[in-house]
Amino acid sequence: MIGKLKNRITFNSKTSVSDSAGGFVNTLVSYYVCWAEMVSNTNSKTNITGRDSLNDAITFRIRYTTGKTFTNALVITFKSRTYMINSIINEADLNQYYLISCATLK
C-alpha cells in the first residue's frame, strides 16, 4: 500500500498576519507535509448565483500518524490548488490510514 502514496500534499493552517497598513492579511502556514494516494477525483458543474463553476472533489489516503491532529479547519494544497477538508476518516478504524475528503471551487 505504501507504494501507492505517490502524491505530495501539504496541510496548511489559516492565520492572520498584520500588514504594513495596520490591517490583517489571511495567509496559509504549512502544518504537515506527507505522501498521499489519490483515491478518487471528480469534477461536477454547479450553478452558484447564476454562474457556472466547477466543484473539484478529491479524496486522499495518507498514513496514520499520532504526531499531528487533523481537523477541517486545515486546508490541503495539492498541485497549486487549495482544497477545503470535508471529512477525515480513520479507515476501517485500524489506525493505519486516514481517508480525507476535500473539495474546492475553481
Coordinates of all heavy atoms in Angstrom, one line a residue:
M1 N 0.8 -1.2 0.0 CA 0.0 0.0 0.0 C 0.9 1.3 0.0 O 0.5 2.2 -0.6 CB -0.9 0.0 1.2 CG -1.8 1.2 1.4 SD -3.1 1.4 0.1 CE -4.3 0.3 0.8
I2 N 2.0 1.3 0.7 CA 2.8 2.4 0.8 C 3.3 2.9 -0.6 O 3.5 4.1 -0.9 CB 4.0 2.2 1.8 CG1 3.4 2.1 3.2 CG2 5.0 3.4 1.7 CD1 4.5 1.7 4.2
G3 N 3.5 1.9 -1.5 CA 4.0 2.2 -2.8 C 3.0 3.1 -3.6 O 3.3 3.7 -4.6
K4 N 1.7 3.1 -3.2 CA 0.7 3.9 -3.9 C 0.6 5.3 -3.5 O 0.0 6.2 -4.0 CB -0.7 3.2 -3.7 CG -0.9 1.9 -4.3 CD -2.3 1.4 -4.1 CE -2.4 0.0 -4.8 NZ -3.8 -0.5 -4.6
L5 N 1.4 5.7 -2.4 CA 1.4 7.0 -1.9 C 2.4 7.8 -2.7 O 3.5 8.0 -2.3 CB 1.7 7.0 -0.4 CG 0.9 6.2 0.5 CD1 1.4 6.2 2.0 CD2 -0.6 6.6 0.5
K6 N 1.9 8.3 -3.9 CA 2.8 9.0 -4.8 C 2.6 10.5 -5.0 O 3.4 11.1 -5.7 CB 2.6 8.3 -6.2 CG 3.0 6.9 -6.2 CD 2.7 6.3 -7.6 CE 3.0 4.8 -7.6 NZ 2.8 4.2 -8.8
N7 N 1.6 11.0 -4.3 CA 1.3 12.5 -4.4 C 1.7 13.2 -3.2 O 1.4 12.8 -2.1 CB -0.2 12.7 -4.7 CG -0.6 12.0 -6.0 OD1 -0.2 12.3 -7.0 ND2 -1.4 10.9 -5.8
R8 N 2.5 14.3 -3.3 CA 2.9 15.1 -2.2 C 1.8 16.1 -1.9 O 1.5 16.9 -2.8 CB 4.2 15.8 -2.5 CG 5.0 16.2 -1.3 CD 5.6 15.1 -0.7 NE 6.6 15.6 0.3 CZ 7.0 14.9 1.3 NH1 6.5 13.7 1.6 NH2 7.9 15.3 2.1
I9 N 1.3 16.1 -0.7 CA 0.3 17.1 -0.3 C 0.8 17.9 1.0 O 1.6 17.4 1.7 CB -1.1 16.5 0.0 CG1 -1.1 15.5 1.2 CG2 -1.6 15.8 -1.3 CD1 -2.4 15.0 1.6
T10 N 0.2 19.1 1.1 CA 0.6 19.9 2.3 C -0.7 20.3 3.0 O -1.6 20.8 2.4 CB 1.4 21.2 1.8 OG1 2.5 20.8 1.1 CG2 1.8 22.0 3.0
F11 N -0.7 20.1 4.3 CA -1.8 20.6 5.2 C -1.3 21.9 5.6 O -0.2 22.1 6.1 CB -1.9 19.6 6.4 CG -2.6 18.3 6.1 CD1 -1.8 17.3 5.6 CD2 -3.9 18.1 6.2 CE1 -2.4 16.0 5.3 CE2 -4.5 16.9 5.9 CZ -3.7 15.9 5.5
N12 N -2.2 22.9 5.5 CA -1.9 24.3 5.9 C -3.0 24.8 6.9 O -4.1 24.4 6.8 CB -2.0 25.2 4.7 CG -1.0 24.9 3.6 OD1 0.2 25.0 3.9 ND2 -1.4 24.4 2.5
S13 N -2.5 25.6 7.8 CA -3.4 26.2 8.8 C -3.6 27.7 8.3 O -2.7 28.3 7.7 CB -2.9 26.2 10.2 OG -1.6 26.8 10.3
K14 N -4.8 28.2 8.5 CA -5.1 29.6 8.1 C -4.7 30.5 9.3 O -5.1 30.3 10.4 CB -6.5 29.8 7.8 CG -7.0 28.9 6.7 CD -8.5 29.1 6.5 CE -9.1 27.9 5.8 NZ -10.6 27.9 5.8
T15 N -3.9 31.6 9.0 CA -3.6 32.5 10.1 C -3.7 33.9 9.5 O -3.7 34.1 8.3 CB -2.1 32.3 10.5 OG1 -1.2 32.5 9.4 CG2 -1.9 31.0 11.2
S16 N -3.8 34.9 10.4 CA -3.9 36.3 10.0 C -2.6 37.0 10.4 O -2.1 36.8 11.5 CB -5.0 37.0 10.7 OG -6.2 36.5 10.2
V17 N -2.0 37.7 9.5 CA -0.7 38.4 9.7 C -1.0 39.9 9.5 O -1.7 40.3 8.5 CB 0.4 37.9 8.7 CG1 1.7 38.6 8.9 CG2 0.6 36.4 8.9
S18 N -0.4 40.7 10.3 CA -0.6 42.2 10.2 C 0.2 42.7 9.0 O 1.4 42.2 8.8 CB -0.3 42.9 11.4 OG 1.1 42.7 11.8
D19 N -0.4 43.6 8.2 CA 0.4 44.2 7.1 C 0.9 45.5 7.5 O 0.7 46.0 8.6 CB -0.5 44.2 5.9 CG -1.8 45.1 6.0 OD1 -1.9 45.8 7.1 OD2 -2.6 45.1 5.2
S20 N 1.6 46.2 6.6 CA 2.2 47.5 6.9 C 1.2 48.6 7.1 O 1.5 49.6 7.7 CB 3.2 47.8 5.7 OG 2.4 47.9 4.5
A21 N 0.0 48.4 6.6 CA -1.0 49.4 6.8 C -1.8 49.3 8.1 O -2.8 50.0 8.4 CB -2.0 49.4 5.6
G22 N -1.5 48.3 8.9 CA -2.1 48.1 10.2 C -3.3 47.2 10.1 O -4.0 46.9 11.1
G23 N -3.6 46.6 8.9 CA -4.7 45.7 8.8 C -4.2 44.2 8.9 O -3.0 44.0 9.3
F24 N -5.0 43.3 8.5 CA -4.6 41.9 8.6 C -4.8 41.2 7.3 O -5.8 41.5 6.5 CB -5.5 41.2 9.7 CG -5.1 41.5 11.1 CD1 -5.8 42.5 11.8 CD2 -4.0 41.0 11.7 CE1 -5.5 42.9 13.0 CE2 -3.7 41.3 13.0 CZ -4.4 42.3 13.7
V25 N -3.9 40.3 6.9 CA -3.9 39.6 5.7 C -4.0 38.1 6.1 O -3.2 37.6 6.9 CB -2.7 39.9 4.8 CG1 -2.7 39.0 3.6 CG2 -2.6 41.3 4.5
N26 N -5.0 37.4 5.5 CA -5.0 35.9 5.7 C -4.0 35.2 4.9 O -3.8 35.4 3.7 CB -6.4 35.4 5.3 CG -7.5 35.9 6.3 OD1 -7.2 36.1 7.4 ND2 -8.7 36.1 5.8
T27 N -3.2 34.3 5.6 CA -2.2 33.5 4.9 C -2.3 32.1 5.3 O -2.9 31.7 6.3 CB -0.8 34.1 5.2 OG1 -0.6 34.0 6.6 CG2 -0.6 35.5 4.8
L28 N -1.6 31.2 4.5 CA -1.6 29.8 4.9 C -0.2 29.5 5.4 O 0.8 29.9 4.8 CB -1.9 29.0 3.6 CG -3.3 29.1 3.0 CD1 -3.4 28.3 1.8 CD2 -4.3 28.7 4.1
V29 N -0.1 28.7 6.4 CA 1.2 28.3 7.0 C 1.2 26.8 7.0 O 0.3 26.1 7.4 CB 1.3 28.8 8.5 CG1 2.6 28.3 9.1 CG2 1.2 30.3 8.5
S30 N 2.3 26.3 6.5 CA 2.5 24.8 6.4 C 2.4 24.2 7.8 O 3.1 24.6 8.7 CB 3.8 24.5 5.7 OG 4.0 23.1 5.6
Y31 N 1.6 23.1 7.9 CA 1.4 22.4 9.1 C 2.0 21.0 9.1 O 2.6 20.6 10.0 CB -0.1 22.4 9.4 CG -0.5 21.5 10.7 CD1 -0.3 22.0 11.9 CD2 -1.1 20.3 10.5 CE1 -0.6 21.3 13.1 CE2 -1.5 19.6 11.6 CZ -1.2 20.1 12.9 OH -1.6 19.3 14.0
Y32 N 1.8 20.3 7.9 CA 2.2 19.0 7.8 C 2.3 18.6 6.3 O 1.4 18.9 5.5 CB 1.3 18.0 8.5 CG 1.6 16.6 8.5 CD1 2.8 16.1 9.2 CD2 0.9 15.6 7.8 CE1 3.1 14.8 9.2 CE2 1.2 14.3 7.9 CZ 2.3 13.8 8.6 OH 2.6 12.5 8.6
V33 N 3.5 18.0 5.9 CA 3.7 17.6 4.5 C 3.8 16.1 4.5 O 4.6 15.5 5.3 CB 4.9 18.3 3.9 CG1 5.1 17.9 2.5 CG2 4.8 19.8 4.0
C34 N 3.1 15.4 3.6 CA 3.2 14.0 3.5 C 2.9 13.5 2.1 O 2.5 14.2 1.2 CB 2.2 13.4 4.5 SG 0.5 13.7 4.2
W35 N 3.1 12.2 1.9 CA 2.8 11.5 0.7 C 1.3 11.0 0.8 O 0.9 10.5 1.9 CB 3.7 10.3 0.4 CG 5.1 10.8 0.1 CD1 6.2 10.8 1.0 CD2 5.6 11.3 -1.1 NE1 7.3 11.4 0.4 CE2 7.0 11.7 -0.9 CE3 5.0 11.6 -2.3 CZ2 7.7 12.2 -1.9 CZ3 5.8 12.1 -3.3 CH2 7.1 12.4 -3.1
A36 N 0.6 11.0 -0.3 CA -0.8 10.6 -0.3 C -1.1 9.8 -1.6 O -0.5 10.0 -2.6 CB -1.7 11.8 -0.2
E37 N -2.1 9.0 -1.5 CA -2.7 8.3 -2.7 C -4.0 9.1 -3.0 O -4.8 9.4 -2.1 CB -3.0 6.9 -2.3 CG -3.8 6.2 -3.5 CD -4.2 4.8 -3.1 OE1 -4.1 4.4 -1.9 OE2 -4.8 4.1 -4.0
M38 N -4.2 9.3 -4.3 CA -5.5 9.9 -4.7 C -6.4 8.8 -4.9 O -6.3 8.0 -5.9 CB -5.3 10.7 -6.0 CG -6.4 11.6 -6.4 SD -6.2 12.5 -7.9 CE -4.5 12.9 -8.0
V39 N -7.4 8.7 -4.0 CA -8.4 7.6 -4.1 C -9.5 7.9 -5.1 O -9.9 7.0 -5.9 CB -9.0 7.3 -2.7 CG1 -10.0 6.2 -2.7 CG2 -7.9 7.0 -1.7
S40 N -10.0 9.1 -5.1 CA -11.0 9.5 -6.1 C -10.8 10.9 -6.5 O -10.4 11.7 -5.7 CB -12.4 9.2 -5.6 OG -12.7 10.0 -4.6
N41 N -11.2 11.3 -7.7 CA -11.2 12.7 -8.2 C -12.3 12.9 -9.1 O -12.4 12.3 -10.1 CB -9.8 12.9 -8.9 CG -9.6 14.4 -9.2 OD1 -10.4 15.2 -8.8 ND2 -8.5 14.6 -9.9
T42 N -13.2 13.8 -8.7 CA -14.4 14.1 -9.6 C -14.6 15.5 -9.8 O -14.3 16.3 -8.9 CB -15.7 13.5 -9.0 OG1 -15.9 14.1 -7.7 CG2 -15.6 12.0 -8.8
N43 N -15.0 15.9 -11.0 CA -15.4 17.3 -11.3 C -16.9 17.4 -11.6 O -17.4 16.5 -12.3 CB -14.6 17.8 -12.5 CG -13.2 17.9 -12.2 OD1 -12.8 18.3 -11.1 ND2 -12.3 17.7 -13.2
S44 N -17.6 18.3 -11.0 CA -19.0 18.4 -11.3 C -19.4 19.9 -11.4 O -18.9 20.7 -10.7 CB -19.9 17.8 -10.2 OG -19.6 18.4 -8.9
K45 N -20.2 20.2 -12.4 CA -20.7 21.6 -12.6 C -21.8 21.9 -11.6 O -22.7 21.1 -11.3 CB -21.2 21.8 -14.0 CG -20.2 22.0 -15.0 CD -20.8 22.5 -16.3 CE -19.7 23.0 -17.2 NZ -20.2 23.6 -18.4
T46 N -21.7 23.1 -11.0 CA -22.7 23.6 -10.1 C -23.1 25.0 -10.5 O -22.3 25.7 -11.2 CB -22.3 23.6 -8.6 OG1 -21.1 24.4 -8.5 CG2 -22.0 22.2 -8.1
N47 N -24.2 25.5 -10.2 CA -24.7 26.8 -10.5 C -24.7 27.6 -9.3 O -25.6 27.4 -8.4 CB -26.0 26.8 -11.3 CG -26.4 28.1 -11.8 OD1 -25.9 29.1 -11.4 ND2 -27.2 28.1 -12.8
I48 N -23.9 28.6 -9.1 CA -23.8 29.4 -7.9 C -24.1 30.8 -8.3 O -23.4 31.4 -9.1 CB -22.4 29.3 -7.2 CG1 -22.2 27.8 -6.8 CG2 -22.4 30.2 -6.0 CD1 -20.8 27.6 -6.3
T49 N -25.2 31.4 -7.8 CA -25.6 32.7 -8.1 C -25.6 33.0 -9.6 O -25.2 34.1 -10.0 CB -24.8 33.8 -7.3 OG1 -23.4 33.7 -7.8 CG2 -24.8 33.6 -5.9
G50 N -26.1 32.1 -10.3 CA -26.3 32.3 -11.7 C -25.1 32.1 -12.6 O -25.1 32.4 -13.8
R51 N -24.0 31.7 -12.0 CA -22.7 31.5 -12.7 C -22.4 30.0 -12.6 O -22.5 29.4 -11.6 CB -21.6 32.3 -12.1 CG -21.9 33.8 -12.1 CD -21.0 34.4 -11.1 NE -19.9 35.1 -11.7 CZ -18.9 35.6 -11.1 NH1 -18.8 35.5 -9.8 NH2 -17.9 36.2 -11.7
D52 N -21.8 29.5 -13.7 CA -21.4 28.1 -13.7 C -20.0 28.0 -13.1 O -19.1 28.9 -13.3 CB -21.3 27.5 -15.2 CG -22.7 27.2 -15.7 OD1 -23.6 26.9 -14.9 OD2 -22.9 27.2 -16.9
S53 N -19.8 27.0 -12.3 CA -18.5 26.8 -11.7 C -18.2 25.3 -11.6 O -19.2 24.5 -11.7 CB -18.5 27.4 -10.3 OG -17.3 27.2 -9.6
L54 N -17.0 24.9 -11.4 CA -16.6 23.5 -11.3 C -16.3 23.2 -9.8 O -15.5 23.9 -9.2 CB -15.5 23.2 -12.2 CG -15.7 23.1 -13.7 CD1 -14.5 22.8 -14.4 CD2 -16.8 22.1 -14.0
N55 N -16.9 22.2 -9.3 CA -16.6 21.7 -7.9 C -15.6 20.6 -8.1 O -16.0 19.5 -8.6 CB -17.8 21.3 -7.2 CG -17.5 20.9 -5.8 OD1 -16.4 21.0 -5.3 ND2 -18.6 20.4 -5.1
D56 N -14.4 20.7 -7.7 CA -13.4 19.7 -7.8 C -13.3 18.9 -6.5 O -12.8 19.4 -5.5 CB -12.0 20.4 -8.2 CG -11.0 19.4 -8.6 OD1 -11.3 18.2 -8.7 OD2 -9.8 19.8 -8.7
A57 N -13.9 17.7 -6.4 CA -13.9 16.9 -5.2 C -12.8 15.8 -5.3 O -12.6 15.2 -6.4 CB -15.2 16.3 -5.0
I58 N -12.1 15.6 -4.3 CA -11.0 14.7 -4.3 C -10.9 14.0 -2.9 O -11.2 14.6 -1.9 CB -9.7 15.4 -4.6 CG1 -8.5 14.4 -5.0 CG2 -9.2 16.3 -3.6 CD1 -7.3 15.1 -5.6
T59 N -10.5 12.7 -2.9 CA -10.3 12.0 -1.6 C -8.8 11.5 -1.6 O -8.4 10.9 -2.6 CB -11.2 10.8 -1.5 OG1 -12.6 11.3 -1.5 CG2 -11.0 10.1 -0.2
F60 N -8.1 11.8 -0.5 CA -6.8 11.4 -0.4 C -6.7 10.3 0.7 O -7.5 10.3 1.6 CB -5.9 12.5 0.1 CG -5.7 13.6 -0.9 CD1 -6.4 14.8 -0.7 CD2 -4.9 13.5 -2.0 CE1 -6.2 15.9 -1.6 CE2 -4.7 14.5 -2.9 CZ -5.4 15.7 -2.7
R61 N -5.7 9.4 0.6 CA -5.4 8.4 1.6 C -4.0 8.7 2.1 O -3.1 8.8 1.3 CB -5.5 7.0 1.1 CG -5.1 5.9 2.2 CD -5.1 4.5 1.6 NE -6.5 4.1 1.5 CZ -7.1 3.7 0.4 NH1 -6.4 3.6 -0.7 NH2 -8.4 3.3 0.4
I62 N -3.8 8.9 3.4 CA -2.5 9.2 3.9 C -2.2 8.2 5.1 O -3.2 7.6 5.6 CB -2.3 10.6 4.4 CG1 -3.2 10.9 5.7 CG2 -2.5 11.6 3.3 CD1 -2.9 12.2 6.4
R63 N -1.0 8.0 5.4 CA -0.7 7.1 6.5 C -1.1 7.7 7.9 O -1.0 8.9 8.1 CB 0.8 6.8 6.6 CG 1.3 6.0 5.5 CD 2.8 5.7 5.5 NE 3.0 4.8 6.6 CZ 4.2 4.4 7.0 NH1 5.3 4.8 6.4 NH2 4.4 3.6 8.0
Y64 N -1.5 6.9 8.7 CA -2.0 7.3 10.1 C -0.8 7.8 10.8 O 0.3 7.3 10.8 CB -2.6 6.1 10.8 CG -3.1 6.4 12.2 CD1 -4.4 6.9 12.4 CD2 -2.3 6.2 13.3 CE1 -4.9 7.1 13.6 CE2 -2.8 6.4 14.6 CZ -4.0 6.9 14.7 OH -4.5 7.2 16.0
T65 N -1.0 8.9 11.6 CA 0.0 9.5 12.4 C -0.6 9.9 13.7 O -1.7 10.4 13.8 CB 0.8 10.6 11.8 OG1 1.8 11.1 12.7 CG2 -0.2 11.8 11.4
T66 N 0.2 9.7 14.8 CA -0.3 10.2 16.1 C 0.4 11.6 16.5 O 0.0 12.2 17.4 CB 0.1 9.2 17.2 OG1 1.5 9.0 17.2 CG2 -0.7 7.9 17.0
G67 N 1.4 12.0 15.6 CA 2.1 13.2 15.9 C 1.4 14.5 15.5 O 1.8 15.5 16.0
K68 N 0.3 14.4 14.7 CA -0.4 15.6 14.3 C -1.9 15.3 14.5 O -2.4 14.2 14.4 CB -0.1 15.9 12.8 CG 1.3 16.2 12.5 CD 1.6 17.6 13.0 CE 3.0 18.0 12.7 NZ 3.4 19.3 13.1
T69 N -2.6 16.4 14.7 CA -4.1 16.4 14.8 C -4.7 17.1 13.6 O -4.3 18.2 13.2 CB -4.5 17.1 16.1 OG1 -3.9 16.6 17.2 CG2 -6.0 17.1 16.2
F70 N -5.6 16.4 12.9 CA -6.2 16.9 11.7 C -7.6 17.3 11.9 O -8.4 16.5 12.5 CB -6.1 15.8 10.5 CG -4.7 15.4 10.2 CD1 -4.2 14.2 10.6 CD2 -3.9 16.3 9.5 CE1 -2.9 13.8 10.3 CE2 -2.6 15.9 9.2 CZ -2.1 14.7 9.6
T71 N -8.0 18.5 11.5 CA -9.4 18.9 11.6 C -9.8 19.6 10.3 O -8.9 19.8 9.4 CB -9.5 20.0 12.7 OG1 -8.8 21.2 12.4 CG2 -9.0 19.4 14.1
N72 N -11.1 19.9 10.1 CA -11.5 20.5 8.9 C -11.2 22.0 8.9 O -11.5 22.7 8.0 CB -13.0 20.3 8.6 CG -13.9 20.8 9.7 OD1 -13.4 21.2 10.7 ND2 -15.2 20.7 9.5
A73 N -10.5 22.5 10.0 CA -10.0 23.9 10.0 C -8.8 24.1 9.1 O -8.4 25.2 8.7 CB -9.7 24.3 11.4
L74 N -8.1 22.9 8.8 CA -7.0 22.9 7.9 C -7.4 22.9 6.5 O -8.5 22.5 6.2 CB -6.1 21.7 8.2 CG -5.5 21.6 9.6 CD1 -4.8 20.2 9.8 CD2 -4.5 22.7 9.9
V75 N -6.5 23.3 5.6 CA -6.8 23.1 4.1 C -5.6 22.3 3.6 O -4.5 22.3 4.2 CB -6.9 24.5 3.4 CG1 -8.2 25.2 3.9 CG2 -5.7 25.3 3.6
I76 N -5.8 21.7 2.4 CA -4.8 20.9 1.7 C -4.4 21.6 0.4 O -5.2 22.1 -0.3 CB -5.2 19.5 1.5 CG1 -5.4 18.7 2.8 CG2 -4.3 18.8 0.5 CD1 -6.0 17.3 2.6
T77 N -3.1 21.7 0.2 CA -2.6 22.2 -1.1 C -2.0 21.1 -1.9 O -1.2 20.3 -1.3 CB -1.5 23.3 -0.9 OG1 -2.0 24.3 0.0 CG2 -1.0 23.9 -2.2
F78 N -2.5 20.9 -3.1 CA -2.1 19.8 -4.0 C -2.1 20.4 -5.4 O -3.1 20.9 -5.9 CB -3.0 18.6 -3.8 CG -2.8 17.5 -4.8 CD1 -1.6 16.8 -4.8 CD2 -3.7 17.2 -5.7 CE1 -1.3 15.8 -5.7 CE2 -3.5 16.2 -6.6 CZ -2.3 15.5 -6.6
K79 N -0.9 20.3 -6.1 CA -0.8 20.8 -7.5 C -1.3 22.2 -7.6 O -2.1 22.5 -8.5 CB -1.5 19.8 -8.4 CG -0.8 18.5 -8.6 CD -1.4 17.7 -9.7 CE -0.7 16.4 -9.8 NZ -1.2 15.5 -10.9
S80 N -0.9 23.1 -6.8 CA -1.2 24.5 -6.8 C -2.7 24.8 -6.6 O -3.1 25.9 -6.9 CB -0.7 25.2 -8.1 OG 0.6 25.0 -8.3
R81 N -3.4 23.9 -6.1 CA -4.8 24.1 -5.7 C -5.0 24.0 -4.2 O -4.4 23.1 -3.6 CB -5.8 23.1 -6.5 CG -5.8 23.3 -7.9 CD -6.9 22.5 -8.5 NE -6.8 22.5 -10.0 CZ -7.3 21.6 -10.8 NH1 -7.8 20.5 -10.3 NH2 -7.2 21.8 -12.1
T82 N -5.9 24.7 -3.7 CA -6.2 24.7 -2.3 C -7.6 24.0 -2.1 O -8.6 24.4 -2.7 CB -6.2 26.1 -1.6 OG1 -5.0 26.7 -1.9 CG2 -6.5 26.0 -0.1
Y83 N -7.6 22.9 -1.3 CA -8.8 22.1 -1.0 C -9.3 22.3 0.4 O -8.5 22.2 1.3 CB -8.5 20.7 -1.3 CG -8.3 20.3 -2.7 CD1 -7.0 20.4 -3.2 CD2 -9.3 20.0 -3.6 CE1 -6.7 20.1 -4.5 CE2 -9.0 19.7 -4.9 CZ -7.7 19.8 -5.4 OH -7.5 19.5 -6.7
M84 N -10.6 22.5 0.6 CA -11.1 22.5 1.9 C -11.5 21.1 2.4 O -12.0 20.3 1.6 CB -12.4 23.4 1.9 CG -12.2 24.8 1.6 SD -13.6 25.8 1.4 CE -14.8 25.2 2.5
I85 N -11.2 20.8 3.6 CA -11.4 19.4 4.1 C -12.8 19.3 4.5 O -13.3 20.0 5.3 CB -10.4 19.1 5.3 CG1 -9.0 19.1 4.8 CG2 -10.8 17.7 5.9 CD1 -8.0 19.0 5.9
N86 N -13.5 18.3 4.0 CA -14.9 18.0 4.3 C -15.0 16.9 5.4 O -15.8 17.1 6.3 CB -15.7 17.5 3.1 CG -15.8 18.5 2.1 OD1 -15.9 19.7 2.4 ND2 -15.9 18.1 0.8
S87 N -14.2 15.9 5.4 CA -14.2 14.8 6.4 C -12.8 14.1 6.5 O -12.1 14.1 5.5 CB -15.3 13.8 6.1 OG -15.0 13.1 4.9
I88 N -12.6 13.6 7.7 CA -11.3 12.9 7.9 C -11.8 11.6 8.6 O -12.4 11.6 9.7 CB -10.4 13.6 8.9 CG1 -10.1 15.0 8.2 CG2 -9.1 12.8 9.1 CD1 -9.4 16.0 9.2
I89 N -11.5 10.4 8.0 CA -11.9 9.1 8.5 C -10.7 8.2 8.7 O -9.9 8.1 7.9 CB -12.9 8.5 7.5 CG1 -14.1 9.4 7.2 CG2 -13.3 7.1 7.9 CD1 -15.0 8.9 6.1
N90 N -10.7 7.6 9.9 CA -9.7 6.6 10.2 C -10.2 5.3 9.5 O -11.2 4.7 9.9 CB -9.6 6.4 11.7 CG -8.6 5.4 12.1 OD1 -8.0 4.7 11.3 ND2 -8.3 5.3 13.4
E91 N -9.5 5.0 8.4 CA -10.0 3.9 7.5 C -10.1 2.6 8.3 O -9.2 2.1 8.8 CB -9.1 3.8 6.3 CG -9.6 2.9 5.3 CD -8.7 2.9 4.0 OE1 -7.6 3.4 4.0 OE2 -9.2 2.4 3.0
A92 N -11.3 2.1 8.3 CA -11.7 0.8 9.0 C -11.3 0.8 10.4 O -11.2 -0.3 11.0 CB -11.0 -0.4 8.2
D93 N -11.1 1.9 11.0 CA -10.7 2.1 12.5 C -9.5 1.2 12.8 O -9.4 0.7 13.9 CB -11.8 1.7 13.4 CG -12.9 2.8 13.3 OD1 -12.5 4.0 13.2 OD2 -14.1 2.4 13.4
L94 N -8.5 1.0 11.9 CA -7.4 0.2 12.1 C -6.1 1.0 12.4 O -5.0 0.4 12.7 CB -7.1 -0.6 10.8 CG -8.1 -1.7 10.5 CD1 -7.8 -2.3 9.1 CD2 -8.3 -2.7 11.5
N95 N -6.2 2.3 12.5 CA -5.1 3.2 12.8 C -3.9 3.0 11.8 O -2.7 3.0 12.2 CB -4.6 3.0 14.2 CG -5.6 3.5 15.2 OD1 -6.5 4.3 14.9 ND2 -5.5 3.1 16.5
Q96 N -4.2 2.8 10.5 CA -3.2 2.6 9.5 C -3.2 3.7 8.5 O -2.2 4.2 8.1 CB -3.3 1.3 8.8 CG -3.0 0.1 9.7 CD -3.2 -1.2 9.0 OE1 -3.7 -1.3 7.8 NE2 -2.8 -2.3 9.6
Y97 N -4.4 4.1 8.1 CA -4.6 5.2 7.1 C -5.8 6.1 7.4 O -6.7 5.6 8.0 CB -4.8 4.5 5.7 CG -3.7 3.7 5.2 CD1 -3.6 2.4 5.4 CD2 -2.6 4.4 4.6 CE1 -2.5 1.6 5.0 CE2 -1.5 3.6 4.1 CZ -1.5 2.3 4.3 OH -0.4 1.5 3.9
Y98 N -5.7 7.3 7.0 CA -6.8 8.3 7.0 C -7.3 8.4 5.6 O -6.5 8.5 4.6 CB -6.3 9.7 7.5 CG -6.0 9.8 8.9 CD1 -4.7 10.2 9.4 CD2 -7.0 9.6 9.9 CE1 -4.5 10.4 10.7 CE2 -6.7 9.8 11.2 CZ -5.4 10.2 11.6 OH -5.2 10.3 13.0
L99 N -8.6 8.5 5.4 CA -9.2 9.0 4.2 C -9.7 10.4 4.4 O -10.5 10.7 5.3 CB -10.4 8.1 3.8 CG -10.1 6.7 3.3 CD1 -11.4 5.9 3.1 CD2 -9.3 6.8 2.0
I100 N -9.3 11.3 3.5 CA -9.6 12.7 3.7 C -10.3 13.2 2.5 O -9.8 13.2 1.4 CB -8.3 13.5 3.9 CG1 -7.6 13.0 5.2 CG2 -8.6 15.0 4.1 CD1 -6.2 13.5 5.4
S101 N -11.6 13.5 2.7 CA -12.4 14.0 1.6 C -12.3 15.5 1.5 O -12.5 16.2 2.5 CB -13.9 13.6 1.8 OG -14.7 14.1 0.9
C102 N -12.1 16.1 0.3 CA -11.9 17.5 0.1 C -12.6 18.0 -1.1 O -13.0 17.2 -2.0 CB -10.4 17.8 -0.1 SG -9.3 17.1 1.1
A103 N -12.8 19.3 -1.2 CA -13.4 20.0 -2.3 C -13.0 21.4 -2.4 O -12.5 22.0 -1.5 CB -15.0 19.9 -2.2
T104 N -13.0 21.9 -3.7 CA -12.7 23.3 -3.9 C -13.5 23.8 -5.1 O -14.1 23.1 -5.8 CB -11.2 23.5 -4.3 OG1 -10.9 24.8 -4.3 CG2 -10.9 22.8 -5.6
L105 N -13.6 25.1 -5.2 CA -14.3 25.8 -6.3 C -13.2 26.4 -7.2 O -12.3 27.0 -6.7 CB -15.3 26.8 -5.8 CG -16.5 26.3 -5.1 CD1 -17.3 27.5 -4.6 CD2 -17.3 25.4 -6.0
K106 N -13.3 26.1 -8.4 CA -12.3 26.7 -9.4 C -12.9 28.1 -9.9 O -14.0 28.2 -10.1 CB -12.1 25.8 -10.5 CG -11.4 24.5 -10.2 CD -11.1 23.9 -11.5 CE -10.9 22.4 -11.3 NZ -10.7 21.7 -12.6

